[in-house]
Amino acid sequence: MTEIRIGLIGTGYMGKAHAVALKSVASVFDTGLRPICETICATTLEGAREKARAFGFNRATDDWRTVVADPAIDAVVIASPQSTHMDIAIAAFENGKAVFCEKPLASHAEDCRRMMAAAEASGLPNMTGFNYIRTPASQFAHDLVQSGRIGQIHYIRAEHTEDFLSDPQTPSHWRTKDISNGCMGDLAPHIINAALRLAGPISSVSADIQTVHSERPGADGPEAVTNDDQAHLMCRFQNGAMGHLFISRVATGRKMGYAYEIYGDKGSIRFDQEDQNALWLYLAEGPEAERGFRKILTGPVHPDYLPFCQGPGHGTGYQDQIIIEMRDFLKAIETGTPVWPTFRDGLEVQLVTEAAWKSSKTGTWATV
Amino acid sequence: MTEIRIGLIGTGYMGKAHAVALKSVASVFDTGLRPICETICATTLEGAREKARAFGFNRATDDWRTVVADPAIDAVVIASPQSTHMDIAIAAFENGKAVFCEKPLASHAEDCRRMMAAAEASGLPNMTGFNYIRTPASQFAHDLVQSGRIGQIHYIRAEHTEDFLSDPQTPSHWRTKDISNGCMGDLAPHIINAALRLAGPISSVSADIQTVHSERPGADGPEAVTNDDQAHLMCRFQNGAMGHLFISRVATGRKMGYAYEIYGDKGSIRFDQEDQNALWLYLAEGPEAERGFRKILTGPVHPDYLPFCQGPGHGTGYQDQIIIEMRDFLKAIETGTPVWPTFRDGLEVQLVTEAAWKSSKTGTWATV
Amino acid sequence: MTEIRIGLIGTGYMGKAHAVALKSVASVFDTGLRPICETICATTLEGAREKARAFGFNRATDDWRTVVADPAIDAVVIASPQSTHMDIAIAAFENGKAVFCEKPLASHAEDCRRMMAAAEASGLPNMTGFNYIRTPASQFAHDLVQSGRIGQIHYIRAEHTEDFLSDPQTPSHWRTKDISNGCMGDLAPHIINAALRLAGPISSVSADIQTVHSERPGADGPEAVTNDDQAHLMCRFQNGAMGHLFISRVATGRKMGYAYEIYGDKGSIRFDQEDQNALWLYLAEGPEAERGFRKILTGPVHPDYLPFCQGPGHGTGYQDQIIIEMRDFLKAIETGTPVWPTFRDGLEVQLVTEAAWKSSKTGTWATV
Amino acid sequence: MTEIRIGLIGTGYMGKAHAVALKSVASVFDTGLRPICETICATTLEGAREKARAFGFNRATDDWRTVVADPAIDAVVIASPQSTHMDIAIAAFENGKAVFCEKPLASHAEDCRRMMAAAEASGLPNMTGFNYIRTPASQFAHDLVQSGRIGQIHYIRAEHTEDFLSDPQTPSHWRTKDISNGCMGDLAPHIINAALRLAGPISSVSADIQTVHSERPGADGPEAVTNDDQAHLMCRFQNGAMGHLFISRVATGRKMGYAYEIYGDKGSIRFDQEDQNALWLYLAEGPEAERGFRKILTGPVHPDYLPFCQGPGHGTGYQDQIIIEMRDFLKAIETGTPVWPTFRDGLEVQLVTEAAWKSSKTGTWATV
């Protein structure tokens, strides 16, 4: 098996997830390439060394430039703060590395566009990290829609809701300040990506975006919250379908509310990531007395489940989504063929976000 | 117990429901008044006689004018087609009858306003029939919100979705023609009423309304569908909360999708009429490890449940909602005190509907 | 419509339920007979008069003997304490009345046998009150099994669990004393009846029966609990299937835990009365990727639902089960044909109970 | 970090799961030891080499004796067929290796006892593989019970049900023949282990065990099924609680029906592995109107969740249970302290199985 050396930039939440995925992906899947955890990059050298030890990397650094310039590195995984994505990615492409970059690519479409241009100019494999859509259930949902199993889609309702800031007494921190785009920057990309994947391109949106708790306790008294807590948008899709997307970090009680309902004229699909191993399917066929939403437990017959377990209903989890992503990234490198979602797909998501911002300001529908 | 003689106009879906409620309400509840099923009115005399026999009424007629003018009748229940509501109600008030009228009061706000004016001018008891909000679960939801148990509300999502027209081959009929206002006339009133009840007055809306299946099989070939199949609207409430209402008669798989989620800063509520005996409550209190949405089964400790059964979780059903309504109407008559929802409340619902129509046409937010 | 005069004996929990059912059954269903609430019997004359007023009966008495002997009465509904059932029922048959008797017919099989003998000797309509099995969902479950839709049944698990005595500090009362047979007398009949209905005759059982809280607070200090709090039994059915029945009044959190799972070789059924309007059906057919338990919401296509509502998923409740029972009792009277469950069926249930008692004492399997 | 060299014996279902766990455990958890995938052993050398490549092991062999005798190997993971467990384990202990052995240790208690004796005589770390009980939800359930949160337990109902043999046309194979102990050998150990963990030692059982489909298609016509398809047992626990365990490989529709309900006098717990990231908890405290089973989504505050993900509700899966097991095995090696469940615990499970076999034959209760 060919080895491929990886540089991982970022050691936080997503950094760790990718580190674990790199360790196990070639044992879970029958990949042609086996990734080697070569270099890990953190903000301090001490931190990087600690994480190299913890995650099992050969080398540690506090300078991402040495990673992207290192001839021993074949591919770069970017899991650092959003504001650093663009410079790293572009430099990596310039140095001939394949790049996997966490969502959102950048804070604004213009930067995403530059990243995409660099990626496509380089001809190198590039991929954006939208992990939730990789569950066997959501992959199967996509297959069902594509195959026409639920007919022509006319409505989709989707949300990405969590409640980590629902308590107004939760202190001010970086997520509530200018450095972040709020829930529209953090959570919206996931669910916009899901909507695009499941229902196709969005042509226009009408959005309403709000900061629910306008100040939070800071070190020296109340501090202003300068970005949004909740948002929602009505969409029209190119195929005529209507949609509604709801994004919130103050949805009390919701922990991983990445959920959608898709209504077609032959059937419907419901999914909630809080029970990620089940897909609910209604088919308008067979005796009416026997119709109902069926709770399908994912298993070996569903996309990408079997390598994790031979038994249906035994379940995959969060970490497994990242492993699936990494398998796809390896496949893109091995075959030289782009694997969805590329940087271009990452840009598409950002364009919807920007239309929502615009609509929210003008009070009218905005074209994507 | 004082007897009160009722004239029931309409013998269809809702007519029967009210007939049954009239028979049992005074046995279920400890009402001060006992309703007597005096006269039933259908479109033909033969039909009226048949229904009088089936539902146990003393007399039958095909002329609603004789009912509202009959000195032996104390109160009128209007369950006839929507287009007939206004004339009947106004005539009934003029003849000194208390009036219960099914929702929506009328097709347009102007007519609702005339009905409300007649009601208030008469000083007689008047009530609009929004049955779903009367379940013990939804009454308890209202109590929880009012008491501040879930804190300040910042988001409500609600829907009234069914699928009786989701099959494009379902033939054209009165519900798909001009006589009807589509799902905005049929289903929207219920869920707008719920939103107003649970989250307070709505100040503005942005709506999108659509006919999904533009024609349906008719007797002589395809016929145009001239009203809407699905609609949704974003709202801003007077208290600052955001909301989304979704209405559909083509939501494949949804049978009684009268459902809502209410997010507050101390807790949240979820409800779905398809499991009407459960209310889901999340409280952001106690040890974090023990927090979760709790499925509360309604029982004797919840509003209006006990008269139906002494055991919790034994459940009430559709017919019981109508019985609760009738109890309230009797109470309004007995006490002379208005009982929510009056004709004025029925008008409030219609004003939101009209704002939605306007917004849908202009593509901008409309003030209610 | 022919009128039929009813004497109702008992004014408690079940007495009220039957009173309400008598009022509405002929309006809900297209019955050939219309019951008239003629006489109600309570333990005191004052109480009977109060209930006659509340429930709308013509006459009141404190002597059941005058009811069963009254030539103006056509049928008797027995909803009085269990210890009184036998004498009333036998006297009623001797006086030529049709008899509906709440479950269990009597405390011991011997008495049940005498009641059945009197019923069958009289040739009069007789029926035992097992209301829960009358929900549209459970009727549909029965239809599915009978039609072979889930194939040959090999396992059934069923329970009737509630928690009204789960708190050891709940005071001693009649249910915890000798007058009652504990949960085996109160709750077991319902679920044994369900097992017999759904899986056929039981040939033998192995049972374990327990008093969990052996004393409870009384007026003058702790009092012994002299009957059982929980029980379970393994069964072998005549068709070879295995089964397990669990009965408890101390199942903390369970409010109406009348639930069952039936496994066949072509499919399975799951039901829980706490969500009584849903039946879960799994069919081992069609693409494996699309298989799952489907949540079927009862509607007009399911047994006995339509008369309550034309819309699916709108739901029936506890009271509606009693109305369905009363419809069946009227049908038995009208047609002179026995309607399940007769007194003979009530006896069958008691025979399983007695086998369980025996097994529990000997520690071996007992033949029914 | 100290490295420790592992020999993995077995490359099937569980072999792969352990291989993946060995790769990632030291990145997920902050272990003191980092396992090195040294040697993998399959039944053929070719197969072993293929698996060494696929799973990333340094060496391959078809002779387990060379593994247990290899001085370069520190610990052995046994995931080979059940009939081989004893010889491998005993030889490994004799060679000074720590041993992790998949459940069940052996087919009969006598062999388990020999294995336990060898383990304890050696003083080496030893562990039995019961993965399902390691989910964050089941660990939390155990914590809740231990802390008295749900009071004194009086009933537990548990099952391990799947449906991989529910179709009578599924061909005969090794699982349906003498080499296997049927569902009592395959599935029962998991749920007996859960019952012992959650409710304490079992003192006696009454069991019923059955082969539902007595023959299955073989290569040359029907072949007899010589072991059991379904079984259930009633238990009495040492603490007085009653219990019921149901085991089936023909439970149509059940994919991973490892589920339990625990009733205490202060609360109750419900769990189903098919939704393994949720634990349902009912607490008999607070206002009665607000009581209900709460669906707790596991998160960073629950045992062993945080290393997998910082966000609650994001979910762990089947593979993660194996990683947790491996972390515990490493801890046992590092600290020299036994970690539950040891070989002794594995024997305890087998003793209950044997009592069930005995009871099933005699038709009486059997002491464990």
Side-chain angles (χ1 to χ4, degrees):
Chain A
M1 195 184 292
T2 308
E3 293 187 344
I4 177 170
R5 290 181 186 272
I6 307 287
L8 172 63
I9 298 166
T11 58
Y13 194 149
M14 294 313 301
K16 177 173 181 180
H18 286 294
V20 173
L22 289 166
K23 283 288 175 188
S24 50
V25 60
S27 298
V28 172
F29 285 100
D30 188 17
T31 56
L33 302 175
R34 176 173 295 279
I36 302 301
C37 293
E38 187 57 32
T39 306
I40 193 164
C41 175
T43 47
T44 68
L45 190 55
E46 188 180 30
R49 283 177 177 153
E50 161 57 21
K51 292 301 183 183
R53 188 198 62 76
F55 301 157
F57 277 68
N58 297 334
R59 292 185 283 155
T61 178
D62 60 351
D63 179 8
W64 63 260
R65 291 173 199 281
T66 65
V67 179
V68 297
D70 186 344
I73 300 280
D74 300 301
V76 173
V77 173
I78 306 174
S80 51
Q82 183 180 320
S83 59
T84 67
H85 288 183
M86 184 173 67
D87 291 345
I88 301 172
I90 291 174
F93 288 126
E94 289 171 352
N95 282 276
K97 315 299 185 202
V99 178
F100 178 101
C101 182
E102 265 306 315
K103 64 93 242 190
L105 288 182
S107 302
H108 293 283
E110 189 184 353
D111 291 351
C112 297
R113 218 182 288 273
R114 290 178 58 195
M115 295 168 77
M116 184 191 77
E120 299 192 348
S122 76
L124 291 160
N126 59 92
M127 203 167 150
T128 311
F130 293 109
N131 56 292
Y132 298 119
I133 200 72
R134 300 303 176 108
T135 53
S138 283
Q139 288 195 56
F140 182 51
H142 176 251
D143 291 352
L144 285 168
V145 171
Q146 288 299 309
S147 69
R149 195 71 180 99
I150 62 167
Q152 180 72 24
I153 292 175
H154 52 263
Y155 198 85
I156 180 170
R157 184 161 69 173
E159 68 181 274
H160 190 145
T161 50
E162 305 198 15
D163 71 353
F164 55 85
L165 286 171
S166 75
D167 183 349
Q169 294 310 309
T170 299
S172 177
H173 64 108
W174 71 265
R175 284 189 189 275
T176 62
K177 294 181 184 167
D178 281 345
I179 191 176
S180 156
N181 276 329
C183 72
M184 281 300 287
D186 181 24
L187 305 179
H190 279 301
I191 205 64
I192 293 171
N193 176 60
L196 295 172
R197 180 68 166 171
L198 296 167
I202 292 170
S203 48
S204 60
V205 304
S206 174
D208 194 13
I209 302 176
Q210 192 183 45
T211 304
V212 172
H213 304 304
S214 57
E215 59 181 33
R216 291 181 176 277
D220 306 309
E223 291 182 9
V225 173
T226 59
N227 54 32
D228 53 89
D229 286 327
Q230 66 181 10
H232 61 168
L233 46 152
M234 300 193 298
C235 319
R236 281 282 184 143
F237 290 82
Q238 283 182 16
N239 59 16
M242 283 168 39
H244 178 252
L245 308 183
F246 172 36
I247 303 104
S248 177
R249 61 190 189 187
V250 293
T252 311
R254 281 299 246 166
K255 306 305 174 186
M256 184 57 250
Y258 175 92
Y260 51 81
E261 302 171 9
I262 311 170
Y263 294 101
D265 56 13
K266 294 183 183 169
S268 296
I269 287 170
R270 308 184 82 169
F271 174 76
D272 191 325
Q273 186 84 6
E274 290 184 354
D275 185 7
Q276 69 186 277
N277 293 297
L279 189 76
W280 294 77
L281 173 65
Y282 181 94
L283 294 172
E285 64 180 32
E288 192 176 338
E290 294 180 1
R291 293 185 195 172
F293 275 95
R294 54 187 80 175
K295 185 181 183 179
I296 300 169
L297 296 172
T298 52
V301 296
H302 299 108
D304 284 339
Y305 181 100
L306 180 57
F308 293 97
C309 187
Q310 292 176 35
H314 288 52
T316 57
Y318 174 78
Q319 182 62 52
D320 301 332
Q321 301 153 26
I322 317 295
I323 294 172
I324 294 171
E325 281 191 320
M326 200 48 58
R327 188 273 321 261
D328 287 341
F329 185 46
L330 294 179
K331 193 188 296 177
I333 295 172
E334 187 186 5
T335 64
T337 309
V339 171
W340 182 90
T342 62
F343 274 32
R344 182 172 286 270
D345 298 303
L347 168 63
E348 293 299 325
V349 167
Q350 189 63 26
L351 292 176
V352 176
T353 304
E354 308 235 342
W357 282 330
K358 184 176 167 194
S359 166
S360 170
K361 277 174 200 140
T362 62
T364 57
W365 286 74
T367 302
V368 176
Chain B
M1 194 183 290
T2 309
E3 294 186 343
I4 176 171
R5 292 183 183 270
I6 307 288
L8 172 62
I9 299 167
T11 59
Y13 194 150
M14 295 312 301
K16 178 173 181 181
H18 287 293
V20 173
L22 290 165
K23 282 288 175 189
S24 50
V25 60
S27 299
V28 172
F29 286 100
D30 188 18
T31 56
L33 301 175
R34 178 173 293 279
I36 301 300
C37 293
E38 186 59 31
T39 306
I40 193 163
C41 175
T43 46
T44 68
L45 190 55
E46 189 180 30
R49 282 176 179 154
E50 161 57 23
K51 293 301 184 183
R53 187 199 62 76
F55 301 157
F57 277 68
N58 297 333
R59 293 185 284 153
T61 178
D62 60 353
D63 179 8
W64 63 260
R65 289 172 200 281
T66 65
V67 179
V68 299
D70 186 344
I73 299 282
D74 301 302
V76 173
V77 173
I78 305 175
S80 51
Q82 183 180 318
S83 59
T84 67
H85 289 182
M86 183 173 68
D87 290 347
I88 301 173
I90 292 175
F93 288 126
E94 288 171 352
N95 282 276
K97 314 299 186 202
V99 177
F100 179 100
C101 183
E102 266 306 315
K103 65 92 239 188
L105 289 182
S107 302
H108 293 281
E110 188 184 353
D111 290 351
C112 297
R113 218 181 287 273
R114 291 176 59 195
M115 293 168 79
M116 184 191 77
E120 299 192 350
S122 76
L124 291 161
N126 59 91
M127 205 169 150
T128 311
F130 293 108
N131 56 293
Y132 299 119
I133 200 71
R134 298 305 174 107
T135 54
S138 282
Q139 289 194 56
F140 183 50
H142 176 251
D143 291 352
L144 286 167
V145 171
Q146 289 298 308
S147 69
R149 194 72 180 98
I150 62 167
Q152 182 73 24
I153 292 175
H154 52 263
Y155 198 85
I156 179 170
R157 184 161 70 171
E159 68 180 274
H160 190 144
T161 49
E162 305 197 14
D163 72 354
F164 55 84
L165 287 171
S166 74
D167 182 348
Q169 295 310 310
T170 300
S172 177
H173 64 108
W174 71 265
R175 284 187 188 276
T176 62
K177 296 181 182 168
D178 281 346
I179 190 176
S180 156
N181 276 328
C183 72
M184 282 299 287
D186 181 24
L187 306 179
H190 279 301
I191 205 63
I192 292 170
N193 176 61
L196 295 171
R197 181 67 166 173
L198 296 168
I202 292 170
S203 47
S204 61
V205 303
S206 175
D208 194 12
I209 302 176
Q210 193 183 45
T211 304
V212 173
H213 303 305
S214 57
E215 58 182 32
R216 290 180 178 275
D220 306 308
E223 291 182 10
V225 173
T226 58
N227 54 32
D228 53 89
D229 286 328
Q230 66 180 12
H232 62 167
L233 46 152
M234 300 192 298
C235 320
R236 280 282 184 143
F237 290 82
Q238 283 183 17
N239 59 18
M242 282 167 40
H244 178 253
L245 307 183
F246 172 35
I247 303 104
S248 178
R249 61 189 189 187
V250 293
T252 311
R254 281 300 245 165
K255 305 305 173 186
M256 184 58 249
Y258 175 92
Y260 50 81
E261 303 170 9
I262 311 171
Y263 294 101
D265 58 12
K266 294 184 182 167
S268 297
I269 288 170
R270 308 184 83 170
F271 174 75
D272 191 325
Q273 187 83 7
E274 290 184 354
D275 185 7
Q276 69 187 276
N277 293 298
L279 189 76
W280 294 78
L281 173 66
Y282 181 93
L283 294 171
E285 64 180 33
E288 192 177 337
E290 294 180 1
R291 293 185 194 172
F293 275 95
R294 54 187 80 175
K295 184 181 185 180
I296 301 169
L297 296 173
T298 52
V301 296
H302 299 109
D304 285 340
Y305 180 99
L306 180 57
F308 292 97
C309 186
Q310 292 176 37
H314 290 50
T316 56
Y318 175 77
Q319 181 63 52
D320 300 334
Q321 300 153 26
I322 316 295
I323 294 172
I324 294 171
E325 281 191 320
M326 199 47 58
R327 186 273 321 261
D328 287 340
F329 184 47
L330 294 179
K331 194 188 295 177
I333 295 171
E334 187 185 7
T335 64
T337 310
V339 171
W340 182 91
T342 61
F343 274 32
R344 181 171 287 269
D345 299 303
L347 168 64
E348 291 298 325
V349 168
Q350 188 64 24
L351 292 176
V352 176
T353 304
E354 308 235 340
W357 283 330
K358 185 177 167 194
S359 166
S360 170
K361 277 173 200 143
T362 61
T364 57
W365 286 75
T367 302
V368 177
Chain C
M1 195 184 290
T2 309
E3 294 186 343
I4 177 170
R5 291 182 183 270
I6 307 287
L8 171 63
I9 298 167
T11 58
Y13 195 150
M14 295 312 302
K16 178 174 180 181
H18 287 293
V20 173
L22 289 165
K23 282 288 175 189
S24 50
V25 60
S27 298
V28 172
F29 286 100
D30 187 17
T31 56
L33 301 175
R34 179 172 293 279
I36 301 302
C37 293
E38 186 59 31
T39 305
I40 194 164
C41 175
T43 47
T44 67
L45 189 56
E46 188 181 28
R49 283 177 177 153
E50 161 57 22
K51 293 301 183 184
R53 187 199 62 77
F55 301 156
F57 278 68
N58 297 333
R59 293 184 283 153
T61 178
D62 61 352
D63 180 7
W64 62 260
R65 290 174 200 279
T66 64
V67 179
V68 298
D70 186 344
I73 300 281
D74 300 301
V76 173
V77 173
I78 305 175
S80 52
Q82 182 181 320
S83 59
T84 67
H85 288 184
M86 183 173 69
D87 291 345
I88 301 173
I90 292 175
F93 289 126
E94 288 171 351
N95 283 275
K97 315 300 185 204
V99 177
F100 179 101
C101 183
E102 264 307 315
K103 64 92 245 193
L105 288 182
S107 301
H108 293 283
E110 188 183 355
D111 291 351
C112 297
R113 218 181 286 273
R114 291 177 59 196
M115 294 168 78
M116 184 191 77
E120 298 191 350
S122 76
L124 291 160
N126 59 91
M127 204 168 151
T128 311
F130 293 108
N131 56 292
Y132 299 118
I133 199 71
R134 299 303 175 107
T135 53
S138 283
Q139 288 195 56
F140 183 50
H142 176 252
D143 291 352
L144 286 168
V145 171
Q146 289 298 310
S147 69
R149 194 72 179 98
I150 62 167
Q152 181 73 22
I153 292 175
H154 52 261
Y155 198 86
I156 179 169
R157 184 161 70 172
E159 68 180 275
H160 190 143
T161 50
E162 305 197 14
D163 73 353
F164 54 86
L165 286 170
S166 75
D167 182 349
Q169 295 311 308
T170 300
S172 177
H173 64 107
W174 71 263
R175 284 187 188 275
T176 62
K177 295 179 182 168
D178 282 345
I179 190 177
S180 156
N181 276 329
C183 73
M184 281 299 288
D186 181 24
L187 306 180
H190 278 299
I191 205 64
I192 292 171
N193 176 60
L196 295 171
R197 181 67 167 172
L198 296 168
I202 292 171
S203 47
S204 61
V205 303
S206 173
D208 193 13
I209 302 176
Q210 192 182 47
T211 304
V212 172
H213 303 305
S214 58
E215 58 181 32
R216 290 179 177 278
D220 306 309
E223 292 181 9
V225 173
T226 58
N227 53 32
D228 53 89
D229 285 328
Q230 67 181 10
H232 62 167
L233 46 152
M234 301 192 296
C235 320
R236 281 282 184 142
F237 289 82
Q238 284 183 16
N239 59 17
M242 283 167 41
H244 179 252
L245 308 184
F246 171 37
I247 303 104
S248 177
R249 61 190 189 188
V250 293
T252 311
R254 281 299 246 165
K255 305 305 174 187
M256 184 58 249
Y258 175 91
Y260 50 81
E261 302 170 11
I262 311 171
Y263 294 101
D265 57 12
K266 294 184 182 168
S268 296
I269 287 170
R270 307 183 83 170
F271 174 76
D272 191 326
Q273 186 84 6
E274 289 183 354
D275 186 5
Q276 67 187 277
N277 293 298
L279 189 76
W280 295 77
L281 173 66
Y282 181 93
L283 293 172
E285 64 180 31
E288 192 177 337
E290 294 180 1
R291 293 185 194 171
F293 275 95
R294 55 187 80 174
K295 184 181 184 179
I296 301 169
L297 296 173
T298 52
V301 295
H302 299 108
D304 284 341
Y305 180 99
L306 180 57
F308 292 97
C309 186
Q310 292 176 36
H314 289 51
T316 56
Y318 175 78
Q319 181 62 52
D320 300 332
Q321 301 153 25
I322 317 294
I323 294 172
I324 294 172
E325 281 191 319
M326 199 49 58
R327 186 272 322 260
D328 287 341
F329 185 47
L330 293 179
K331 194 189 296 177
I333 295 172
E334 188 186 5
T335 63
T337 309
V339 171
W340 182 91
T342 61
F343 273 33
R344 181 171 287 269
D345 298 302
L347 168 64
E348 292 299 324
V349 168
Q350 189 64 24
L351 292 176
V352 176
T353 304
E354 307 234 341
W357 281 331
K358 184 177 167 193
S359 166
S360 171
K361 278 174 198 140
T362 62
T364 57
W365 287 75
T367 303
V368 176
Chain D
M1 194 184 291
T2 309
E3 294 186 343
I4 177 170
R5 293 184 183 270
I6 307 286
L8 172 62
I9 299 167
T11 58
Y13 194 148
M14 295 312 301
K16 177 173 181 181
H18 286 293
V20 173
L22 288 165
K23 283 287 175 189
S24 51
V25 60
S27 297
V28 172
F29 286 100
D30 187 18
T31 57
L33 302 175
R34 177 173 294 279
I36 301 302
C37 294
E38 187 58 34
T39 306
I40 193 164
C41 175
T43 47
T44 67
L45 189 56
E46 187 181 30
R49 282 177 178 154
E50 161 58 21
K51 293 300 183 183
R53 187 199 62 77
F55 300 157
F57 278 68
N58 298 332
R59 293 185 282 154
T61 178
D62 60 351
D63 180 9
W64 62 261
R65 290 173 201 282
T66 66
V67 179
V68 298
D70 186 344
I73 299 282
D74 300 302
V76 172
V77 173
I78 306 175
S80 50
Q82 183 180 320
S83 59
T84 67
H85 289 184
M86 184 172 68
D87 290 346
I88 301 173
I90 291 175
F93 289 126
E94 288 171 353
N95 283 276
K97 315 299 185 203
V99 178
F100 179 101
C101 182
E102 265 305 314
K103 65 91 237 184
L105 289 182
S107 302
H108 293 282
E110 190 185 352
D111 291 350
C112 297
R113 218 182 287 273
R114 291 177 59 197
M115 294 168 78
M116 182 191 78
E120 298 191 350
S122 76
L124 291 161
N126 60 91
M127 204 168 150
T128 311
F130 293 109
N131 55 293
Y132 299 118
I133 199 72
R134 299 303 176 107
T135 54
S138 282
Q139 289 195 55
F140 183 51
H142 177 250
D143 291 352
L144 286 167
V145 171
Q146 289 298 308
S147 69
R149 195 71 179 98
I150 62 166
Q152 180 74 23
I153 292 176
H154 52 262
Y155 198 85
I156 179 170
R157 184 160 71 171
E159 68 180 276
H160 190 144
T161 50
E162 305 197 15
D163 71 354
F164 55 84
L165 286 171
S166 75
D167 183 348
Q169 294 310 310
T170 299
S172 178
H173 65 109
W174 71 265
R175 284 187 188 276
T176 61
K177 295 180 184 168
D178 281 344
I179 191 177
S180 156
N181 275 330
C183 73
M184 281 300 287
D186 181 24
L187 305 179
H190 278 301
I191 205 64
I192 292 171
N193 176 61
L196 294 172
R197 181 67 167 172
L198 296 168
I202 292 170
S203 48
S204 60
V205 303
S206 174
D208 194 13
I209 302 176
Q210 192 182 46
T211 303
V212 173
H213 303 305
S214 57
E215 58 181 32
R216 290 181 178 276
D220 305 309
E223 292 181 9
V225 174
T226 58
N227 54 31
D228 53 88
D229 285 328
Q230 66 180 10
H232 62 168
L233 46 152
M234 301 192 296
C235 319
R236 280 282 184 142
F237 290 82
Q238 282 183 17
N239 59 17
M242 282 167 41
H244 179 253
L245 308 183
F246 172 36
I247 303 103
S248 178
R249 63 188 188 187
V250 293
T252 312
R254 281 300 245 166
K255 306 305 174 186
M256 184 57 250
Y258 175 92
Y260 50 80
E261 302 170 9
I262 311 171
Y263 294 101
D265 57 11
K266 293 184 182 167
S268 296
I269 288 170
R270 308 184 82 170
F271 174 75
D272 191 326
Q273 186 84 6
E274 290 184 353
D275 185 7
Q276 70 187 275
N277 293 298
L279 189 76
W280 294 77
L281 173 66
Y282 181 94
L283 294 172
E285 65 180 32
E288 192 176 337
E290 294 180 1
R291 293 186 194 172
F293 275 95
R294 54 187 80 175
K295 184 181 184 179
I296 300 169
L297 295 173
T298 52
V301 296
H302 299 108
D304 285 340
Y305 180 99
L306 180 57
F308 292 98
C309 187
Q310 292 176 36
H314 289 51
T316 56
Y318 175 78
Q319 181 62 52
D320 300 332
Q321 300 154 25
I322 317 295
I323 294 172
I324 294 172
E325 281 191 321
M326 199 49 57
R327 187 273 321 262
D328 286 342
F329 184 47
L330 294 179
K331 194 188 295 176
I333 295 171
E334 188 185 6
T335 64
T337 309
V339 170
W340 183 90
T342 61
F343 273 33
R344 181 172 287 270
D345 298 303
L347 168 63
E348 292 299 325
V349 168
Q350 189 63 26
L351 292 176
V352 176
T353 304
E354 308 235 342
W357 282 331
K358 184 176 167 194
S359 166
S360 171
K361 278 173 198 141
T362 62
T364 57
W365 286 74
T367 302
V368 177

